[in-house]
Amino acid sequence: MLQTLYDYFWWERLWLPVNLTWADLEDRDGRVYAKASDLYITLPLALLFLIVRYFFELYVATPLAALLNIKEKTRLRAPPNPTLEHFYLTSGKQPKQAEVELLSRQSGLSGRQVERWFRRRRNQDRPSLLKKFREASWRFTFYLIAFIAGMAVIVDKPWFYDMKKVWEGYPIQSTIPSQYWYYMIELSFYWSLLFSIASDVKRKDFKEQIIHHVATIILISFSWFANYIRAGTLIMALHDSSDYLLESAKMFNYAGWKNTCNNIFIVFAIVFIITRLVILPFWILHCTVVYPLELYPAFFGYYFFNSMMGVLQLLHVFWAYFILRMAHKFITGKLVEDERSDPEETESSEGEEAIAGGGAKSRPLANGHPVVSNNHRKND
């Protein structure tokens, strides 16, 4: 049974153009071809990435955060309350007024105490500024190194300048060590992102992030199986070209360097729009959709690869919407923040004054937040 499934899965007609077999891609005469077994190394490498990330965040990102005066803030913890905790975990983190009144009767607390409990409980679950900075620092470092390495791998190749050469001799195209390691490292990194996504900062596009990581892993793996390596290296380098800019903008944002953050964001937005919404669909997708049909009839692998590319392109359009929203905020004078993240929730920003009957709008502002007196904090 398993052997039958294995044979169907690796049927040449699924992966290769007509009249070609796996025998045509066996190593010979010093020429090495991509093999599915090559990708086994990516799983232990992904675990290695997680270990390296741990020590990087501990010994590099954390000291850097200290230099930028980014520190862990002590948050007031919600006192144990089984009734409120059950509601928080099962019904919602922000109860409506009618629910607050019901919970007040059930728990024996006042309405204000219930609202304060939920505020503090939400704050307990929110990632700290230091955690966000560490994560952005790690991704910035990888994406920058990956982009530089990717360009080094492809910039001297003829298909970097003439995309028709991507398919020259396909699929009998041998690989070189730089392509092999570029693929293994990129795929391992995305495996590590998928493994750590549950513990990373959860943003509004959490589901889209999972789809993106899975689609990327499938796309990189398939392109290796089917020897779409030349196209694959172009696509990976194209994606890395803007990602490190976004992560660096986040780092400066968390450090409070708003002007630097905004300036880098402008560069990121320009690069993102050009690479993801212009070059990718009109050059890369044109290369993978049109040019192969000039050499061989369409087969399953052709449709599958371009379908996954379509998924990524839709995600790029989705994220472009957030980028344009941030650009609009910047143009209108508002500070640029990561639209995918929920706003930072603190004791002051939650609006104690509004609960007490006062108005936050009537209070003086410090850094965009209402000023809360020390006496008020003590009453909490």
Side-chain angles (χ1 to χ4, degrees):
M1 178 65 178
L2 292 178
Q3 183 61 42
T4 301
L5 293 175
Y6 179 87
D7 292 339
Y8 274 116
F9 183 80
W10 291 112
W11 183 38
E12 285 93 344
R13 295 289 69 78
L14 292 179
W15 304 92
L16 301 173
V18 65
N19 298 328
L20 287 168
T21 67
W22 295 117
D24 295 311
L25 297 179
E26 292 180 355
D27 298 347
R28 61 174 66 88
D29 301 328
R31 296 169 64 88
V32 179
Y33 298 92
K35 305 174 188 65
S37 59
D38 294 334
L39 301 187
Y40 290 147
I41 194 176
T42 61
L43 292 179
L45 279 179
L47 296 178
L48 179 61
F49 263 121
L50 294 176
I51 296 172
V52 172
R53 173 181 175 175
Y54 172 80
F55 286 104
F56 175 89
E57 292 184 351
L58 186 62
Y59 294 110
V60 178
T62 300
L64 179 59
L67 288 175
L68 296 174
N69 202 31
I70 301 173
K71 301 176 181 178
E72 288 275 17
K73 294 182 179 180
T74 302
R75 294 172 175 173
L76 297 175
R77 299 184 64 85
N81 189 305
T83 300
L84 301 185
E85 183 71 22
H86 177 74
F87 184 95
Y88 180 87
L89 296 176
T90 60
S91 301
K93 300 179 180 181
Q94 293 182 316
K96 299 177 181 178
Q97 187 59 40
E99 294 171 327
V100 169
E101 294 173 359
L102 177 62
L103 290 170
S104 175
R105 293 193 296 269
Q106 293 176 344
S107 62
L109 301 175
S110 68
R112 182 178 179 183
Q113 288 174 321
V114 170
E115 290 176 318
R116 184 187 303 133
W117 187 94
F118 274 92
R119 180 178 64 258
R120 292 180 179 177
R121 184 64 180 84
R122 287 194 298 269
N123 281 339
Q124 287 177 214
D125 286 347
R126 295 186 63 80
S128 68
L129 206 61
L130 179 58
K131 177 178 174 62
K132 293 179 180 180
F133 181 84
R134 287 171 175 170
E135 181 180 316
S137 300
W138 166 247
R139 296 194 185 201
F140 164 76
T141 302
F142 175 83
Y143 288 136
L144 179 60
I145 294 174
F147 175 64
I148 295 172
M151 293 305 297
V153 169
I154 65 176
V155 73
D156 62 339
K157 305 299 186 294
W159 58 85
F160 181 70
Y161 306 95
D162 182 0
M163 289 194 176
K164 284 195 173 184
K165 292 186 180 296
V166 166
W167 307 106
E168 191 173 68
Y170 179 84
I172 307 176
Q173 298 172 338
S174 58
T175 62
I176 56 178
S178 60
Q179 291 175 327
Y180 170 84
W181 284 111
Y182 185 36
Y183 253 81
M184 298 306 111
I185 290 173
E186 284 274 355
L187 182 56
S188 300
F189 180 74
Y190 279 103
W191 273 120
S192 73
L193 291 183
L194 189 63
F195 294 157
S196 64
I197 196 169
S199 60
D200 287 343
V201 175
K202 186 174 292 187
R203 296 182 170 87
K204 294 178 181 178
D205 64 345
F206 178 73
K207 294 180 180 179
E208 288 78 11
Q209 282 286 345
I210 294 178
I211 294 172
H212 175 268
H213 295 338
V214 171
T216 301
I217 288 170
I218 293 174
L219 191 57
I220 294 176
S221 300
F222 175 82
S223 64
W224 185 261
F225 295 162
N227 217 19
Y228 274 48
I229 295 174
R230 294 181 181 179
T233 54
L234 292 174
I235 294 166
M236 290 188 294
L238 188 73
H239 280 73
D240 292 335
S241 65
S242 62
D243 287 340
Y244 71 91
L245 292 170
L246 176 60
E247 300 303 330
S248 63
K250 291 180 187 177
M251 292 169 63
F252 285 112
N253 181 47
Y254 302 146
W257 296 27
K258 300 302 182 182
N259 289 334
T260 304
C261 167
N262 292 340
N263 291 332
I264 294 177
F265 172 77
I266 292 175
V267 178
F268 159 73
I270 294 172
V271 174
F272 185 95
I273 297 299
I274 292 175
T275 56
R276 307 292 182 92
L277 300 186
V278 179
I279 295 178
L280 187 63
F282 296 106
W283 271 268
I284 303 295
L285 271 174
H286 182 268
C287 172
T288 61
V289 172
V290 176
Y291 293 157
L293 299 181
E294 297 176 0
L295 302 174
Y296 53 81
F299 62 107
F300 173 79
Y302 166 86
Y303 292 116
F304 182 80
F305 181 85
N306 287 297
S307 295
M308 297 306 297
M309 287 292 295
V311 171
L312 286 183
Q313 188 58 52
L314 290 175
L315 289 172
H316 295 156
V317 173
F318 172 81
W319 282 315
Y321 165 73
F322 287 107
I323 292 172
L324 292 175
R325 282 183 59 181
M326 287 189 282
H328 178 263
K329 287 188 175 185
F330 174 76
I331 293 171
T332 56
K334 296 182 179 180
L335 292 177
V336 172
E337 297 180 356
D338 187 354
E339 279 287 335
R340 300 176 303 158
S341 298
D342 291 326
E344 185 69 18
E345 197 173 70
T346 63
E347 290 293 319
S348 59
S349 65
E350 185 67 11
E352 290 271 12
E353 297 82 7
I355 297 175
K361 292 182 180 179
S362 65
R363 313 285 277 183
L365 296 179
N367 296 326
H369 296 289
V371 175
V372 181
S373 68
N374 291 331
N375 291 334
H376 179 77
R377 177 62 62 89
K378 289 177 182 177
N379 290 336
D380 281 349

